[in-house]
Amino acid sequence: MASEASGNGDLGQAFARLAQVIALLRERCPWTGALTHESLLEYLLEEAYEVIEAVETGHTGAADAAELSGELGDVLFQVLLHARLQEEAGHFSIADVVESLTRKMIRRNPHVFKADGTLTEATTEDQTEIERAWDAVKKTEKPHRASPFDGIPASLPALALAAKAQSRARRAGLSVPAADGTVPAWDGEEELGGLLFETVRQATERGLDPEAALRAAVRRFTAAAPPVTE
């Protein structure tokens, strides 16, 4: 059951206090004060992966949700540190980050919110329609992006990169060609995992880098994809 501290007023106070603690650490703790955007990157990745591990190992129930809560706090710490570095440089603060995200969520979800942030009278259960509206608003925000693959971080792990590229392609109405019968049939997540594991085993035995190979395959796919026209 949620505590009384989860009310909006108390949440605002708690968040403001946390931001103040981060600012004080930057001023008075030599280790925290020496941090930079670049030196924080390894921690951001590590904390994100720890959240994934907590979810995948079932730490979401009432009995052990405290572990997930702690891991989410560690990710929030990273966000606050990056924002604090920018505030010290005179660029933006965590308040700007929160306000910008709030506006974006309202703007990109017109099935839930009106332009002024109030709730719509009715919504939709159509996932395709929701994705279409999200993509349309995103396109107006970033009109310089000419390809559905623009904005996908190249540093994503290869499997995540391939999945994201294929998802973007499908949402843009592009086909994802199937392999020429070279992939064995599989059924379910366990068999898929076994197939991927075996693929990696064969690759490494032959001295090949499966991560690099999959990245190259994604590059070939995105380069060959036709431009998307209105």
Side-chain angles (χ1 to χ4, degrees):
M1 184 174 180
S3 68
E4 292 296 323
S6 63
N8 285 339
D10 290 337
L11 175 61
Q13 270 191 334
F15 196 82
R17 175 56 178 159
L18 176 59
Q20 181 187 44
V21 167
I22 302 303
L24 291 170
L25 283 172
R26 284 283 297 166
E27 293 173 12
R28 301 177 67 86
C29 170
W31 186 87
T32 309
L35 291 170
T36 64
H37 286 300
E38 292 75 17
S39 67
L40 278 168
L41 293 182
E42 65 172 295
Y43 301 111
L44 180 60
L45 276 175
E46 181 181 332
E47 302 301 354
Y49 280 124
E50 287 183 4
V51 170
I52 293 171
E53 183 177 357
V55 172
E56 290 184 342
T57 53
H59 292 88
T60 55
D64 51 6
E67 180 168 343
L68 177 58
S69 175
E71 299 299 354
L72 289 172
D74 290 341
V75 173
L76 180 57
F77 178 49
Q78 297 301 309
V79 173
L80 283 159
L81 277 170
H82 280 286
R84 180 61 192 176
L85 287 167
Q86 286 294 296
E87 185 172 3
E88 291 168 4
H91 300 156
F92 61 79
S93 69
I94 189 63
D96 297 312
V97 174
V98 170
E99 290 169 5
S100 176
L101 178 59
T102 301
R103 290 194 300 270
K104 181 164 69 174
M105 290 300 101
I106 290 171
R107 194 168 59 243
R108 291 191 184 180
N109 292 280
H111 61 294
V112 176
F113 300 103
K114 297 178 184 177
D116 63 1
T118 59
L119 292 174
T120 57
E121 288 77 13
T123 186
T124 178
E125 300 296 326
D126 188 336
Q127 297 287 336
T128 302
E129 183 182 338
I130 292 169
E131 288 182 354
R132 189 182 303 118
W134 177 282
D135 290 340
V137 174
K138 191 173 180 180
K139 189 169 184 179
T140 65
E141 294 171 353
K142 302 180 178 180
H144 59 283
R145 291 186 174 177
S147 164
F149 309 113
D150 286 348
I152 299 178
S155 58
L156 278 175
L159 272 175
L161 182 66
K164 177 66 73 173
Q166 292 183 21
S167 173
R168 287 280 190 90
R170 292 189 184 98
R171 285 170 67 161
L174 301 175
S175 63
V176 181
D180 300 327
T182 57
V183 179
W186 54 271
D187 181 25
E189 188 175 278
E190 185 174 347
E191 287 190 16
L192 173 59
L195 174 61
L196 293 172
F197 191 84
E198 173 61 17
T199 301
V200 172
R201 185 191 68 79
Q202 291 189 30
T204 54
E205 280 192 351
R206 299 178 189 183
L208 300 174
D209 181 345
E211 177 86 5
L214 184 52
R215 284 184 180 283
V218 173
R219 286 195 297 272
R220 290 193 298 271
F221 169 67
T222 56
V228 177
T229 57
E230 294 298 328

PDB file of all heavy atoms in Angstrom, residues 161-174:
ATOM      1  N   LEU A 161      19.448  -3.009 -30.811  1.00  0.00           N
ATOM      2  CA  LEU A 161      19.526  -2.172 -32.006  1.00  0.00           C
ATOM      3  C   LEU A 161      18.728  -2.790 -33.148  1.00  0.00           C
ATOM      4  O   LEU A 161      17.961  -2.093 -33.837  1.00  0.00           O
ATOM      5  CB  LEU A 161      20.991  -2.011 -32.415  1.00  0.00           C
ATOM      6  CG  LEU A 161      21.281  -1.120 -33.621  1.00  0.00           C
ATOM      7  CD1 LEU A 161      20.911   0.325 -33.313  1.00  0.00           C
ATOM      8  CD2 LEU A 161      22.762  -1.215 -34.003  1.00  0.00           C
ATOM      9  N   ALA A 162      18.868  -4.097 -33.344  1.00  0.00           N
ATOM     10  CA  ALA A 162      18.138  -4.779 -34.408  1.00  0.00           C
ATOM     11  C   ALA A 162      16.629  -4.732 -34.158  1.00  0.00           C
ATOM     12  O   ALA A 162      15.833  -4.475 -35.071  1.00  0.00           O
ATOM     13  CB  ALA A 162      18.608  -6.227 -34.518  1.00  0.00           C
ATOM     14  N   ALA A 163      16.235  -4.983 -32.904  1.00  0.00           N
ATOM     15  CA  ALA A 163      14.812  -4.959 -32.564  1.00  0.00           C
ATOM     16  C   ALA A 163      14.219  -3.578 -32.766  1.00  0.00           C
ATOM     17  O   ALA A 163      13.116  -3.428 -33.305  1.00  0.00           O
ATOM     18  CB  ALA A 163      14.614  -5.425 -31.126  1.00  0.00           C
ATOM     19  N   LYS A 164      14.943  -2.540 -32.359  1.00  0.00           N
ATOM     20  CA  LYS A 164      14.452  -1.175 -32.506  1.00  0.00           C
ATOM     21  C   LYS A 164      14.341  -0.783 -33.977  1.00  0.00           C
ATOM     22  O   LYS A 164      13.356  -0.170 -34.396  1.00  0.00           O
ATOM     23  CB  LYS A 164      15.388  -0.212 -31.777  1.00  0.00           C
ATOM     24  CG  LYS A 164      15.026   1.257 -31.902  1.00  0.00           C
ATOM     25  CD  LYS A 164      13.731   1.592 -31.221  1.00  0.00           C
ATOM     26  CE  LYS A 164      13.847   1.593 -29.724  1.00  0.00           C
ATOM     27  NZ  LYS A 164      12.620   2.082 -29.044  1.00  0.00           N
ATOM     28  N   ALA A 165      15.344  -1.152 -34.778  1.00  0.00           N
ATOM     29  CA  ALA A 165      15.315  -0.821 -36.204  1.00  0.00           C
ATOM     30  C   ALA A 165      14.141  -1.501 -36.895  1.00  0.00           C
ATOM     31  O   ALA A 165      13.443  -0.893 -37.721  1.00  0.00           O
ATOM     32  CB  ALA A 165      16.634  -1.227 -36.865  1.00  0.00           C
ATOM     33  N   GLN A 166      13.894  -2.762 -36.556  1.00  0.00           N
ATOM     34  CA  GLN A 166      12.788  -3.481 -37.175  1.00  0.00           C
ATOM     35  C   GLN A 166      11.439  -2.913 -36.735  1.00  0.00           C
ATOM     36  O   GLN A 166      10.501  -2.806 -37.535  1.00  0.00           O
ATOM     37  CB  GLN A 166      12.887  -4.962 -36.842  1.00  0.00           C
ATOM     38  CG  GLN A 166      14.080  -5.645 -37.505  1.00  0.00           C
ATOM     39  CD  GLN A 166      14.125  -7.134 -37.230  1.00  0.00           C
ATOM     40  OE1 GLN A 166      13.122  -7.744 -36.893  1.00  0.00           O
ATOM     41  NE2 GLN A 166      15.307  -7.725 -37.370  1.00  0.00           N
ATOM     42  N   SER A 167      11.342  -2.535 -35.456  1.00  0.00           N
ATOM     43  CA  SER A 167      10.104  -1.934 -34.958  1.00  0.00           C
ATOM     44  C   SER A 167       9.822  -0.611 -35.657  1.00  0.00           C
ATOM     45  O   SER A 167       8.692  -0.342 -36.080  1.00  0.00           O
ATOM     46  CB  SER A 167      10.213  -1.718 -33.441  1.00  0.00           C
ATOM     47  OG  SER A 167       9.096  -0.998 -32.958  1.00  0.00           O
ATOM     48  N   ARG A 168      10.863   0.217 -35.804  1.00  0.00           N
ATOM     49  CA  ARG A 168      10.694   1.506 -36.491  1.00  0.00           C
ATOM     50  C   ARG A 168      10.267   1.280 -37.946  1.00  0.00           C
ATOM     51  O   ARG A 168       9.439   2.022 -38.485  1.00  0.00           O
ATOM     52  CB  ARG A 168      12.008   2.282 -36.448  1.00  0.00           C
ATOM     53  CG  ARG A 168      12.366   2.869 -35.111  1.00  0.00           C
ATOM     54  CD  ARG A 168      11.624   4.162 -34.826  1.00  0.00           C
ATOM     55  NE  ARG A 168      12.166   4.813 -33.647  1.00  0.00           N
ATOM     56  CZ  ARG A 168      13.159   5.699 -33.670  1.00  0.00           C
ATOM     57  NH1 ARG A 168      13.723   6.035 -34.819  1.00  0.00           N
ATOM     58  NH2 ARG A 168      13.588   6.256 -32.554  1.00  0.00           N
ATOM     59  N   ALA A 169      10.858   0.275 -38.581  1.00  0.00           N
ATOM     60  CA  ALA A 169      10.520  -0.013 -39.973  1.00  0.00           C
ATOM     61  C   ALA A 169       9.044  -0.374 -40.102  1.00  0.00           C
ATOM     62  O   ALA A 169       8.329   0.145 -40.967  1.00  0.00           O
ATOM     63  CB  ALA A 169      11.400  -1.142 -40.507  1.00  0.00           C
ATOM     64  N   ARG A 170       8.570  -1.275 -39.241  1.00  0.00           N
ATOM     65  CA  ARG A 170       7.170  -1.710 -39.314  1.00  0.00           C
ATOM     66  C   ARG A 170       6.218  -0.541 -39.067  1.00  0.00           C
ATOM     67  O   ARG A 170       5.197  -0.414 -39.749  1.00  0.00           O
ATOM     68  CB  ARG A 170       6.926  -2.826 -38.302  1.00  0.00           C
ATOM     69  CG  ARG A 170       7.643  -4.135 -38.649  1.00  0.00           C
ATOM     70  CD  ARG A 170       7.196  -5.263 -37.729  1.00  0.00           C
ATOM     71  NE  ARG A 170       7.954  -6.483 -37.995  1.00  0.00           N
ATOM     72  CZ  ARG A 170       9.001  -6.883 -37.301  1.00  0.00           C
ATOM     73  NH1 ARG A 170       9.425  -6.152 -36.265  1.00  0.00           N
ATOM     74  NH2 ARG A 170       9.635  -7.996 -37.601  1.00  0.00           N
ATOM     75  N   ARG A 171       6.553   0.302 -38.112  1.00  0.00           N
ATOM     76  CA  ARG A 171       5.689   1.444 -37.804  1.00  0.00           C
ATOM     77  C   ARG A 171       5.657   2.448 -38.953  1.00  0.00           C
ATOM     78  O   ARG A 171       4.693   3.196 -39.109  1.00  0.00           O
ATOM     79  CB  ARG A 171       6.144   2.107 -36.513  1.00  0.00           C
ATOM     80  CG  ARG A 171       5.758   1.306 -35.295  1.00  0.00           C
ATOM     81  CD  ARG A 171       6.380   1.798 -34.021  1.00  0.00           C
ATOM     82  NE  ARG A 171       5.908   3.101 -33.586  1.00  0.00           N
ATOM     83  CZ  ARG A 171       6.020   3.565 -32.349  1.00  0.00           C
ATOM     84  NH1 ARG A 171       6.595   2.817 -31.431  1.00  0.00           N
ATOM     85  NH2 ARG A 171       5.576   4.762 -32.026  1.00  0.00           N
ATOM     86  N   ALA A 172       6.731   2.454 -39.764  1.00  0.00           N
ATOM     87  CA  ALA A 172       6.783   3.352 -40.920  1.00  0.00           C
ATOM     88  C   ALA A 172       6.209   2.699 -42.171  1.00  0.00           C
ATOM     89  O   ALA A 172       6.219   3.292 -43.248  1.00  0.00           O
ATOM     90  CB  ALA A 172       8.219   3.776 -41.178  1.00  0.00           C
ATOM     91  N   GLY A 173       5.706   1.464 -42.041  1.00  0.00           N
ATOM     92  CA  GLY A 173       5.123   0.776 -43.180  1.00  0.00           C
ATOM     93  C   GLY A 173       6.126   0.096 -44.078  1.00  0.00           C
ATOM     94  O   GLY A 173       5.802  -0.267 -45.212  1.00  0.00           O
ATOM     95  N   LEU A 174       7.359  -0.106 -43.588  1.00  0.00           N
ATOM     96  CA  LEU A 174       8.385  -0.786 -44.370  1.00  0.00           C
ATOM     97  C   LEU A 174       8.408  -2.265 -44.010  1.00  0.00           C
ATOM     98  O   LEU A 174       8.160  -2.644 -42.868  1.00  0.00           O
ATOM     99  CB  LEU A 174       9.764  -0.172 -44.090  1.00  0.00           C
ATOM    100  CG  LEU A 174       9.919   1.323 -44.400  1.00  0.00           C
ATOM    101  CD1 LEU A 174      11.292   1.808 -43.945  1.00  0.00           C
ATOM    102  CD2 LEU A 174       9.718   1.598 -45.873  1.00  0.00           C
TER     103      LEU A 174
END
